[in-house]
Amino acid sequence: QAGHAINLLFVGRPGWKTEALIHRMGSHPMHNHRLYYWPGASDSQLAFAYANATALIFASQSEGFGLPLMEALVARLPVIASDLPIHREVGGDALHYVSLDDPEMLNEAVLEMIERADDRSTVPPSAPGLIDWDTSAKQLAQALQTVLDAKA
């Protein structure tokens, strides 16, 4: 409606109570033209999506860690995320937060991302939950050692 020719890609396996949404996307007139759904995206398809997207919209109502948030930040992709405590814990100031109760807030965030589409330098280089594989492996090893020590 604002005159922007954008594409929308949904990535991920069907989840709980998503049948109606998936059916609606599949029967939409823009399906496979400007509206896409990749239910079983490979690692290379995900890498392509992160490298070529304008932003990740992670509009979850309830979430655990949120691996796509971290994957997007590693790719220096701007993230629009629902304002949940776990998203703030993981993303800190690196994410753009929106209320799922305010569709206009999401619309404004998307329009802002479109305006800055070619500038990934605005994405902060780190977030509180963003760690590299070495750090992750060390943390896992420490956790396993703690469990082993407790059993000894």
Side-chain angles (χ1 to χ4, degrees):
Q1 290 177 343
H4 298 283
I6 62 171
N7 295 321
L8 183 61
L9 169 62
F10 287 81
V11 178
R13 289 185 296 272
W16 185 57
K17 293 188 175 184
T18 58
E19 296 86 6
L21 173 63
I22 292 168
H23 175 74
R24 188 172 172 198
M25 286 189 300
S27 61
H28 192 279
M30 289 286 107
H31 181 249
N32 287 334
H33 297 287
R34 293 208 171 276
L35 175 64
Y36 303 91
Y37 174 48
W38 293 354
S42 67
D43 288 342
S44 61
Q45 288 174 311
L46 282 175
F48 176 85
Y50 287 128
N52 292 283
T54 299
L56 170 72
I57 300 173
F58 201 69
S60 178
Q61 293 180 335
S62 134
E63 192 60 47
F65 179 75
L67 184 59
L69 299 175
M70 295 295 98
E71 292 172 334
L73 289 172
V74 167
R76 309 261 315 157
L77 180 64
V79 176
I80 300 169
S82 46
D83 194 0
L84 298 177
I86 188 62
H87 292 170
R88 287 197 176 270
E89 180 181 335
V90 170
D93 293 335
L95 308 182
H96 186 110
Y97 298 99
V98 296
S99 169
L100 295 182
D101 296 327
D102 187 352
E104 186 55 35
M105 184 183 231
L106 176 59
N107 184 54
E108 289 172 12
V110 169
L111 291 175
E112 180 182 326
M113 295 298 170
I114 291 169
E115 289 173 14
R116 297 185 304 171
D118 295 328
D119 185 10
R120 289 194 179 197
S121 67
T122 60
V123 180
S126 65
L130 188 59
I131 59 175
D132 60 30
W133 285 111
D134 288 338
T135 304
S136 177
K138 287 176 186 171
Q139 288 177 352
L140 176 60
Q142 289 172 346
L144 291 173
Q145 189 61 54
T146 300
V147 169
L148 290 173
D149 291 345
K151 291 190 175 216

